[in-house]
Coordinates of all heavy atoms in Angstrom, one line a residue:
L1 N 19.2 -6.4 -9.8 CA 17.7 -6.1 -9.8 C 17.4 -4.8 -9.2 O 18.0 -4.4 -8.1 CB 17.0 -7.3 -8.9 CG 15.6 -7.0 -8.6 CD1 14.8 -7.2 -9.9 CD2 15.2 -8.1 -7.6
S2 N 16.7 -3.9 -9.9 CA 16.3 -2.6 -9.4 C 14.9 -2.7 -8.8 O 14.0 -3.1 -9.5 CB 16.4 -1.6 -10.6 OG 16.0 -0.4 -10.1
L3 N 14.8 -2.3 -7.6 CA 13.5 -2.3 -7.0 C 13.0 -0.8 -6.9 O 12.9 -0.2 -5.8 CB 13.5 -2.8 -5.6 CG 13.6 -4.4 -5.5 CD1 13.7 -4.8 -4.0 CD2 12.3 -5.0 -6.1
D4 N 12.6 -0.2 -7.9 CA 12.2 1.2 -7.9 C 10.8 1.4 -8.6 O 10.8 1.5 -9.8 CB 13.2 2.1 -8.6 CG 14.5 2.1 -7.8 OD1 14.5 2.2 -6.6 OD2 15.6 2.1 -8.4
P5 N 9.7 1.3 -7.8 CA 8.4 1.6 -8.4 C 8.4 2.9 -9.1 O 9.1 3.8 -8.5 CB 7.4 1.4 -7.3 CG 8.2 0.7 -6.2 CD 9.6 1.0 -6.4
P6 N 7.6 3.2 -10.0 CA 7.4 4.5 -10.6 C 7.0 5.6 -9.5 O 6.2 5.3 -8.7 CB 6.3 4.4 -11.6 CG 6.3 2.9 -12.0 CD 6.7 2.2 -10.7
G7 N 7.8 6.7 -9.5 CA 7.5 7.7 -8.6 C 8.1 7.6 -7.2 O 8.0 8.5 -6.4
A8 N 8.9 6.5 -7.0 CA 9.5 6.2 -5.7 C 10.8 7.1 -5.5 O 11.6 7.2 -6.4 CB 9.8 4.8 -5.5
S9 N 10.9 7.7 -4.3 CA 12.2 8.4 -4.0 C 13.1 7.5 -3.2 O 14.3 7.8 -3.2 CB 11.8 9.6 -3.2 OG 11.2 9.3 -2.0
A10 N 12.6 6.4 -2.6 CA 13.5 5.5 -1.9 C 12.7 4.1 -1.9 O 11.5 4.1 -1.8 CB 13.7 5.9 -0.4
T11 N 13.5 3.1 -1.9 CA 12.9 1.7 -1.9 C 13.9 0.8 -1.1 O 15.1 0.9 -1.2 CB 12.8 1.1 -3.3 OG1 12.1 2.0 -4.2 CG2 12.1 -0.2 -3.4
V12 N 13.2 -0.1 -0.3 CA 14.0 -1.1 0.6 C 13.5 -2.5 0.4 O 12.2 -2.6 0.6 CB 14.0 -0.7 2.0 CG1 14.7 -1.7 2.9 CG2 14.5 0.7 2.3
G13 N 14.3 -3.4 0.0 CA 13.8 -4.8 -0.1 C 14.1 -5.4 1.3 O 15.1 -5.2 1.9
Q14 N 13.1 -6.1 1.8 CA 13.2 -6.8 3.1 C 13.2 -8.2 3.1 O 13.8 -8.9 4.0 CB 12.0 -6.3 4.0 CG 12.0 -4.8 4.3 CD 13.0 -4.4 5.3 OE1 13.3 -5.2 6.2 NE2 13.5 -3.3 5.2
G15 N 12.6 -8.9 2.1 CA 12.5 -10.4 2.1 C 12.3 -10.9 0.8 O 11.8 -10.2 -0.1
I16 N 12.7 -12.2 0.6 CA 12.5 -12.9 -0.7 C 12.3 -14.3 -0.4 O 12.8 -14.9 0.6 CB 13.8 -12.7 -1.6 CG1 13.5 -13.2 -3.0 CG2 15.0 -13.2 -1.0 CD1 14.5 -12.8 -4.1
N17 N 11.5 -15.0 -1.2 CA 11.2 -16.4 -1.0 C 11.8 -17.2 -2.1 O 12.4 -16.6 -3.0 CB 9.7 -16.6 -0.8 CG 8.8 -16.4 -2.0 OD1 9.3 -16.2 -3.1 ND2 7.5 -16.3 -1.8
E18 N 11.5 -18.5 -2.1 CA 12.1 -19.3 -3.1 C 11.4 -19.2 -4.5 O 12.0 -19.7 -5.5 CB 12.0 -20.8 -2.7 CG 13.0 -21.2 -1.6 CD 12.9 -22.6 -1.1 OE1 12.1 -23.4 -1.6 OE2 13.6 -22.9 -0.1
R19 N 10.3 -18.5 -4.6 CA 9.6 -18.2 -5.9 C 10.1 -16.9 -6.4 O 9.5 -16.4 -7.4 CB 8.1 -18.2 -5.6 CG 7.6 -19.6 -5.3 CD 6.2 -19.7 -4.8 NE 5.3 -19.0 -5.7 CZ 4.1 -18.6 -5.3 NH1 3.6 -19.0 -4.2 NH2 3.3 -18.0 -6.2
S20 N 11.1 -16.3 -5.8 CA 11.7 -15.0 -6.2 C 10.7 -13.8 -6.0 O 10.8 -12.8 -6.7 CB 12.2 -15.0 -7.6 OG 13.3 -15.9 -7.7
Q21 N 9.7 -14.0 -5.1 CA 8.8 -12.9 -4.7 C 9.5 -12.0 -3.7 O 10.1 -12.6 -2.7 CB 7.5 -13.4 -4.2 CG 6.7 -14.2 -5.2 CD 5.5 -14.9 -4.5 OE1 5.7 -15.6 -3.5 NE2 4.3 -14.7 -5.0
V22 N 9.6 -10.8 -4.0 CA 10.3 -9.8 -3.0 C 9.3 -8.9 -2.4 O 8.4 -8.4 -3.0 CB 11.3 -9.0 -3.9 CG1 12.0 -8.0 -2.9 CG2 12.3 -9.8 -4.6
V23 N 9.5 -8.7 -1.1 CA 8.7 -7.7 -0.3 C 9.6 -6.6 0.3 O 10.8 -6.9 0.5 CB 7.8 -8.4 0.8 CG1 6.8 -9.3 0.2 CG2 8.7 -9.0 1.8
G24 N 9.0 -5.5 0.5 CA 9.7 -4.4 1.1 C 8.8 -3.2 1.2 O 7.6 -3.3 1.4
S25 N 9.4 -2.0 1.1 CA 8.7 -0.8 1.2 C 9.3 0.3 0.2 O 10.4 0.2 -0.2 CB 8.6 -0.2 2.6 OG 9.9 0.0 3.1
Y26 N 8.5 1.2 -0.1 CA 8.9 2.4 -0.9 C 8.3 3.6 -0.4 O 7.2 3.6 0.2 CB 8.7 2.1 -2.4 CG 7.2 2.2 -2.8 CD1 6.7 3.4 -3.4 CD2 6.4 1.1 -2.8 CE1 5.4 3.4 -3.8 CE2 5.1 1.1 -3.1 CZ 4.6 2.3 -3.7 OH 3.3 2.3 -4.0
T27 N 8.9 4.7 -0.7 CA 8.4 6.1 -0.3 C 8.2 6.9 -1.6 O 9.0 6.9 -2.5 CB 9.4 6.8 0.6 OG1 9.6 5.9 1.8 CG2 8.9 8.1 1.1
D28 N 7.0 7.5 -1.6 CA 6.7 8.4 -2.7 C 6.1 9.7 -2.1 O 6.2 9.9 -0.9 CB 5.8 7.8 -3.8 CG 4.4 7.4 -3.2 OD1 4.0 7.9 -2.2 OD2 3.7 6.7 -4.0
A29 N 5.6 10.6 -2.9 CA 5.1 11.9 -2.4 C 3.9 11.7 -1.4 O 3.6 12.5 -0.6 CB 4.6 12.7 -3.6
R30 N 3.2 10.5 -1.5 CA 2.1 10.3 -0.6 C 2.5 9.6 0.8 O 1.7 9.5 1.6 CB 1.0 9.5 -1.3 CG 0.4 10.2 -2.5 CD -0.6 9.4 -3.2 NE -0.2 7.9 -3.2 CZ -1.0 6.9 -3.2 NH1 -2.3 7.1 -3.2 NH2 -0.6 5.7 -3.2
G31 N 3.7 9.1 0.9 CA 4.1 8.4 2.1 C 4.9 7.1 1.8 O 5.5 6.9 0.7
T32 N 4.9 6.2 2.8 CA 5.6 5.0 2.7 C 4.6 3.8 2.6 O 3.7 3.7 3.4 CB 6.5 4.8 3.9 OG1 7.5 5.8 4.0 CG2 7.3 3.4 3.8
H33 N 4.8 2.9 1.6 CA 3.9 1.8 1.3 C 4.7 0.5 1.3 O 5.9 0.5 0.9 CB 3.3 2.0 -0.1 CG 2.9 3.4 -0.4 ND1 1.7 3.9 0.0 CD2 3.6 4.5 -0.9 CE1 1.6 5.2 -0.4 NE2 2.8 5.6 -0.9
G34 N 4.0 -0.6 1.6 CA 4.6 -1.9 1.4 C 4.5 -2.2 0.0 O 3.8 -1.6 -0.8
L35 N 5.3 -3.2 -0.5 CA 5.3 -3.7 -1.8 C 5.6 -5.1 -1.9 O 6.2 -5.8 -1.1 CB 6.3 -2.9 -2.7 CG 7.8 -3.1 -2.5 CD1 8.3 -4.3 -3.3 CD2 8.5 -1.8 -3.0
V36 N 5.1 -5.7 -3.0 CA 5.5 -7.0 -3.5 C 5.9 -6.9 -4.9 O 5.3 -6.2 -5.7 CB 4.3 -8.0 -3.5 CG1 4.7 -9.4 -4.0 CG2 3.7 -8.2 -2.1
Y37 N 7.1 -7.5 -5.2 CA 7.6 -7.5 -6.6 C 7.7 -8.9 -7.1 O 8.3 -9.7 -6.4 CB 9.0 -6.8 -6.6 CG 9.7 -6.8 -8.0 CD1 9.4 -5.9 -8.9 CD2 10.6 -7.8 -8.3 CE1 10.0 -5.9 -10.1 CE2 11.2 -7.9 -9.5 CZ 10.9 -6.9 -10.4 OH 11.5 -6.9 -11.6
E38 N 7.1 -9.2 -8.2 CA 7.1 -10.5 -8.8 C 7.1 -10.5 -10.3 O 6.2 -9.8 -10.9 CB 5.9 -11.3 -8.3 CG 5.9 -12.7 -8.8 CD 4.8 -13.6 -8.2 OE1 3.8 -13.0 -7.7 OE2 4.8 -14.8 -8.4
A39 N 8.0 -11.1 -10.9 CA 8.0 -11.2 -12.4 C 7.9 -9.8 -13.1 O 7.2 -9.7 -14.0 CB 7.0 -12.1 -12.9
G40 N 8.6 -8.8 -12.5 CA 8.6 -7.5 -13.1 C 7.4 -6.6 -12.8 O 7.3 -5.5 -13.3
V41 N 6.6 -7.1 -11.9 CA 5.3 -6.3 -11.6 C 5.4 -5.9 -10.1 O 5.6 -6.8 -9.2 CB 4.1 -7.1 -11.8 CG1 2.8 -6.4 -11.4 CG2 4.0 -7.5 -13.3
F42 N 5.2 -4.6 -9.8 CA 5.1 -4.1 -8.4 C 3.6 -4.1 -8.0 O 2.8 -3.6 -8.8 CB 5.6 -2.7 -8.3 CG 7.1 -2.6 -8.4 CD1 7.7 -2.3 -9.6 CD2 7.9 -2.8 -7.3 CE1 9.1 -2.2 -9.7 CE2 9.3 -2.7 -7.4 CZ 9.9 -2.4 -8.6
T43 N 3.3 -4.5 -6.8 CA 2.0 -4.4 -6.2 C 2.2 -3.7 -4.9 O 2.8 -4.2 -4.0 CB 1.4 -5.8 -6.0 OG1 1.3 -6.6 -7.2 CG2 0.0 -5.7 -5.4
P44 N 1.5 -2.5 -4.8 CA 1.6 -1.8 -3.5 C 0.8 -2.5 -2.5 O -0.3 -3.1 -2.8 CB 1.1 -0.4 -3.9 CG 0.3 -0.6 -5.1 CD 0.8 -1.8 -5.8
L45 N 1.2 -2.4 -1.2 CA 0.4 -2.9 -0.1 C 0.2 -1.7 0.9 O 1.2 -1.2 1.4 CB 1.2 -4.0 0.6 CG 1.6 -5.2 -0.2 CD1 2.5 -6.1 0.6 CD2 0.3 -6.0 -0.5
D46 N -1.0 -1.4 1.2 CA -1.4 -0.4 2.1 C -2.4 -0.9 3.1 O -3.5 -1.2 2.6 CB -1.8 0.9 1.4 CG -0.7 1.6 0.7 OD1 0.3 1.9 1.4 OD2 -0.8 1.8 -0.5
V47 N -2.2 -0.8 4.4 CA -3.2 -1.2 5.4 C -4.2 0.0 5.4 O -3.8 1.2 5.5 CB -2.6 -1.4 6.8 CG1 -3.7 -1.5 7.8 CG2 -1.7 -2.6 6.7
P48 N -5.5 -0.2 5.3 CA -6.4 0.9 5.3 C -6.3 1.8 6.5 O -6.2 1.3 7.7 CB -7.8 0.2 5.3 CG -7.5 -1.2 4.7 CD -6.2 -1.6 5.1
S49 N -6.4 3.1 6.3 CA -6.2 4.1 7.3 C -4.8 4.2 8.0 O -4.7 4.9 9.0 CB -7.3 3.9 8.4 OG -8.6 4.0 7.9
A50 N -3.9 3.4 7.5 CA -2.5 3.5 8.0 C -1.8 4.8 7.5 O -2.1 5.2 6.4 CB -1.7 2.3 7.7
T51 N -0.9 5.3 8.3 CA -0.1 6.4 7.8 C 1.2 5.9 7.2 O 1.9 6.7 6.5 CB 0.2 7.4 8.9 OG1 0.9 6.7 10.0 CG2 -1.1 8.0 9.5
R52 N 1.5 4.6 7.4 CA 2.8 4.0 6.9 C 2.6 2.5 6.9 O 2.0 2.0 7.8 CB 4.0 4.4 7.8 CG 5.3 3.7 7.3 CD 6.4 3.9 8.3 NE 7.6 3.2 7.8 CZ 8.7 3.8 7.3 NH1 8.7 5.1 7.3 NH2 9.6 3.2 6.9
T53 N 3.0 1.8 5.8 CA 2.9 0.4 5.7 C 4.2 -0.2 5.3 O 4.8 0.4 4.3 CB 1.8 -0.1 4.8 OG1 0.6 0.5 5.2 CG2 1.7 -1.6 4.7
D54 N 4.7 -1.2 5.9 CA 6.0 -1.8 5.5 C 5.8 -3.4 5.4 O 5.2 -3.9 6.4 CB 7.1 -1.6 6.5 CG 7.5 -0.1 6.7 OD1 8.1 0.4 5.7 OD2 7.1 0.5 7.6
A55 N 6.3 -4.0 4.4 CA 6.2 -5.4 4.3 C 7.6 -5.9 4.7 O 8.7 -5.4 4.2 CB 5.9 -5.9 2.8
K56 N 7.7 -6.9 5.6 CA 9.0 -7.3 6.2 C 9.5 -8.6 5.7 O 10.7 -8.9 5.6 CB 8.9 -7.3 7.7 CG 8.5 -6.0 8.3 CD 9.6 -5.0 8.2 CE 9.3 -3.7 9.0 NZ 10.4 -2.8 8.9
A57 N 8.5 -9.6 5.5 CA 9.0 -11.0 5.1 C 7.9 -11.7 4.3 O 6.7 -11.3 4.4 CB 9.4 -11.8 6.3
I58 N 8.3 -12.6 3.5 CA 7.4 -13.5 2.7 C 7.9 -14.9 2.8 O 9.1 -15.1 2.6 CB 7.2 -12.9 1.3 CG1 6.1 -13.7 0.5 CG2 8.5 -12.9 0.5 CD1 5.7 -13.1 -0.8
N59 N 7.0 -15.8 3.0 CA 7.4 -17.2 3.0 C 7.0 -17.9 1.7 O 6.5 -17.2 0.8 CB 6.8 -18.0 4.2 CG 5.3 -18.2 4.1 OD1 4.7 -18.0 3.1 ND2 4.7 -18.6 5.3
N60 N 7.4 -19.2 1.5 CA 7.2 -19.8 0.2 C 5.7 -20.1 -0.1 O 5.4 -20.3 -1.3 CB 8.0 -21.1 0.2 CG 9.5 -20.8 0.2 OD1 9.9 -19.8 -0.3 ND2 10.3 -21.7 0.8
A61 N 4.8 -19.9 0.9 CA 3.4 -20.1 0.6 C 2.8 -18.7 0.2 O 1.7 -18.6 -0.1 CB 2.7 -20.5 1.8
G62 N 3.6 -17.6 0.2 CA 3.2 -16.3 -0.2 C 2.6 -15.5 1.0 O 2.1 -14.4 0.7
L63 N 2.7 -16.0 2.2 CA 2.2 -15.2 3.4 C 3.2 -14.1 3.6 O 4.4 -14.3 3.7 CB 2.0 -16.1 4.6 CG 1.0 -17.2 4.5 CD1 1.2 -18.1 5.7 CD2 -0.4 -16.6 4.5
I64 N 2.6 -12.9 3.8 CA 3.5 -11.7 4.0 C 3.1 -11.1 5.4 O 2.0 -11.0 5.8 CB 3.1 -10.6 2.9 CG1 3.4 -11.2 1.5 CG2 4.0 -9.4 3.2 CD1 2.8 -10.3 0.4
V65 N 4.2 -10.8 6.1 CA 4.1 -10.1 7.4 C 4.7 -8.7 7.3 O 5.6 -8.5 6.5 CB 4.7 -10.9 8.6 CG1 3.9 -12.2 8.8 CG2 6.1 -11.2 8.4
G66 N 4.2 -7.8 8.1 CA 4.8 -6.5 8.1 C 4.3 -5.7 9.3 O 3.7 -6.2 10.2
T67 N 4.6 -4.4 9.2 CA 4.2 -3.5 10.2 C 3.5 -2.3 9.6 O 3.6 -2.0 8.4 CB 5.4 -3.0 11.0 OG1 6.3 -2.3 10.1 CG2 6.1 -4.1 11.8
Y68 N 2.7 -1.6 10.4 CA 2.1 -0.3 10.0 C 1.9 0.6 11.1 O 2.0 0.2 12.3 CB 0.7 -0.6 9.3 CG -0.4 -1.0 10.1 CD1 -1.3 -0.1 10.6 CD2 -0.6 -2.3 10.5 CE1 -2.4 -0.5 11.4 CE2 -1.6 -2.7 11.3 CZ -2.6 -1.7 11.7 OH -3.6 -2.2 12.5
V69 N 1.7 1.9 10.8 CA 1.4 2.9 11.8 C 0.0 3.3 11.6 O -0.4 3.7 10.5 CB 2.4 4.1 11.7 CG1 2.0 5.2 12.8 CG2 3.8 3.6 11.9
D70 N -0.8 3.2 12.7 CA -2.2 3.6 12.5 C -2.5 5.1 12.7 O -1.5 5.8 12.9 CB -3.1 2.7 13.5 CG -2.9 3.1 15.0 OD1 -2.4 4.2 15.3 OD2 -3.3 2.3 15.8
S71 N -3.7 5.5 12.5 CA -4.0 6.9 12.5 C -3.7 7.6 13.9 O -3.7 8.8 14.0 CB -5.4 7.2 12.1 OG -6.3 6.5 13.0
Q72 N -3.6 6.8 14.9 CA -3.3 7.3 16.3 C -1.8 7.3 16.6 O -1.3 7.7 17.6 CB -4.0 6.4 17.3 CG -5.4 6.2 17.1 CD -6.2 7.5 17.0 OE1 -6.3 8.1 18.0 NE2 -6.8 7.8 15.9
G73 N -0.9 6.9 15.5 CA 0.5 6.9 15.7 C 1.0 5.6 16.4 O 2.2 5.5 16.7
Q74 N 0.2 4.6 16.5 CA 0.6 3.3 17.1 C 1.1 2.3 16.1 O 0.5 2.2 15.0 CB -0.5 2.6 17.8 CG -1.1 3.5 19.0 CD -0.1 3.4 20.2 OE1 0.7 2.5 20.3 NE2 -0.2 4.4 21.0
G75 N 2.2 1.7 16.4 CA 2.8 0.7 15.5 C 2.1 -0.6 15.7 O 1.8 -1.0 16.8
R76 N 1.8 -1.3 14.7 CA 1.1 -2.6 14.7 C 1.6 -3.6 13.7 O 2.3 -3.1 12.8 CB -0.4 -2.4 14.4 CG -1.0 -1.3 15.4 CD -2.5 -1.5 15.6 NE -3.0 -0.5 16.4 CZ -3.2 -0.6 17.7 NH1 -2.8 -1.7 18.3 NH2 -3.7 0.3 18.4
G77 N 1.3 -4.8 13.8 CA 1.7 -5.8 12.9 C 0.5 -6.2 12.0 O -0.7 -6.1 12.3
W78 N 0.8 -6.9 10.8 CA -0.2 -7.4 9.9 C 0.3 -8.7 9.3 O 1.5 -8.9 9.2 CB -0.7 -6.4 8.9 CG 0.3 -5.7 8.0 CD1 1.1 -4.6 8.3 CD2 0.8 -6.2 6.8 NE1 2.0 -4.4 7.2 CE2 1.8 -5.4 6.3 CE3 0.5 -7.4 6.0 CZ2 2.5 -5.6 5.1 CZ3 1.2 -7.6 4.8 CH2 2.2 -6.6 4.4
L79 N -0.7 -9.4 8.8 CA -0.4 -10.6 8.0 C -1.3 -10.6 6.8 O -2.5 -10.4 6.9 CB -0.7 -11.9 8.9 CG -0.8 -13.2 8.1 CD1 0.7 -13.6 7.6 CD2 -1.3 -14.3 9.0
A80 N -0.7 -10.8 5.6 CA -1.5 -10.9 4.4 C -1.5 -12.3 3.8 O -0.4 -12.9 3.7 CB -1.0 -9.9 3.4
T81 N -2.6 -12.8 3.4 CA -2.8 -14.1 2.9 C -3.0 -13.9 1.4 O -3.9 -13.2 1.0 CB -3.9 -14.9 3.5 OG1 -3.8 -14.9 4.9 CG2 -4.0 -16.3 2.9
P82 N -2.2 -14.6 0.5 CA -2.4 -14.4 -0.9 C -3.7 -14.9 -1.5 O -4.2 -15.9 -0.9 CB -1.2 -15.2 -1.5 CG -0.9 -16.2 -0.5 CD -1.3 -15.6 0.8
I83 N -4.2 -14.3 -2.5 CA -5.4 -14.8 -3.2 C -4.9 -15.8 -4.3 O -4.1 -15.4 -5.1 CB -6.2 -13.7 -3.8 CG1 -6.7 -12.8 -2.7 CG2 -7.3 -14.2 -4.7 CD1 -7.4 -11.5 -3.2
R84 N -5.4 -16.9 -4.3 CA -5.0 -17.9 -5.3 C -5.9 -17.8 -6.5 O -7.1 -17.7 -6.3 CB -5.0 -19.3 -4.7 CG -4.1 -19.5 -3.5 CD -2.7 -19.7 -4.0 NE -1.8 -19.9 -2.8 CZ -0.7 -19.4 -2.7 NH1 -0.2 -18.6 -3.6 NH2 0.1 -19.6 -1.6
Q85 N -5.3 -17.9 -7.7 CA -6.1 -17.9 -8.9 C -7.0 -19.1 -8.9 O -6.6 -20.2 -8.6 CB -5.1 -17.9 -10.1 CG -4.3 -16.7 -10.2 CD -5.1 -15.5 -10.6 OE1 -6.2 -15.5 -10.9 NE2 -4.4 -14.3 -10.6
G86 N -8.2 -18.9 -9.4 CA -9.2 -20.0 -9.5 C -9.9 -20.4 -8.2 O -10.8 -21.3 -8.3
R87 N -9.5 -19.8 -7.1 CA -10.3 -20.1 -5.8 C -11.3 -19.1 -5.6 O -11.1 -17.9 -5.9 CB -9.3 -20.1 -4.7 CG -8.5 -21.4 -4.6 CD -7.5 -21.4 -3.4 NE -8.3 -21.4 -2.2 CZ -7.7 -21.2 -1.0 NH1 -6.4 -21.1 -0.9 NH2 -8.4 -21.2 0.1
R88 N -12.5 -19.5 -5.1 CA -13.5 -18.5 -4.8 C -14.0 -18.8 -3.4 O -14.1 -19.8 -2.9 CB -14.6 -18.6 -5.8 CG -14.1 -18.2 -7.1 CD -15.2 -18.2 -8.2 NE -14.6 -18.0 -9.4 CZ -14.8 -16.9 -10.1 NH1 -15.6 -16.0 -9.8 NH2 -14.2 -16.8 -11.3

């Protein structure tokens, strides 16, 4: 499996769940971004106003945890909850 989003100069896979969803991070000309890879599709993950975002783990419910660096240079954690199709 190649985890190389278009334009990436480096990519790191950090976690995978039983649904074969992979999370990690990649670096391109604009910086380092978190990512989710599922069924051949890359989805970038960027915390607003962060200078760096990394996705570290994903569970079987699709919850993603990671770290980011804020505009003040402080490292912080985040949790992303998946949007389910058909729910409003």
Side-chain angles (χ1 to χ4, degrees):
L1 173 66
S2 176
L3 283 177
D4 294 319
S9 60
T11 307
V12 176
Q14 294 284 329
I16 187 169
N17 66 15
E18 291 178 2
R19 294 170 47 196
S20 297
Q21 296 170 309
V22 177
V23 295
S25 59
Y26 70 97
T27 302
D28 64 12
R30 298 178 322 150
T32 300
H33 318 272
L35 69 82
V36 178
Y37 176 83
E38 180 178 16
V41 177
F42 287 98
T43 302
L45 301 171
D46 288 303
V47 173
S49 300
T51 60
R52 177 187 179 109
T53 303
D54 296 285
K56 301 291 188 180
I58 185 168
N59 69 13
N60 291 330
L63 296 171
I64 302 167
V65 295
T67 59
Y68 71 99
V69 177
D70 68 18
S71 60
Q72 310 300 296
Q74 295 289 337
R76 305 204 181 268
W78 57 267
L79 168 68
T81 305
I83 298 172
R84 299 284 183 219
Q85 297 290 352
R87 285 181 59 187
R88 295 184 189 245

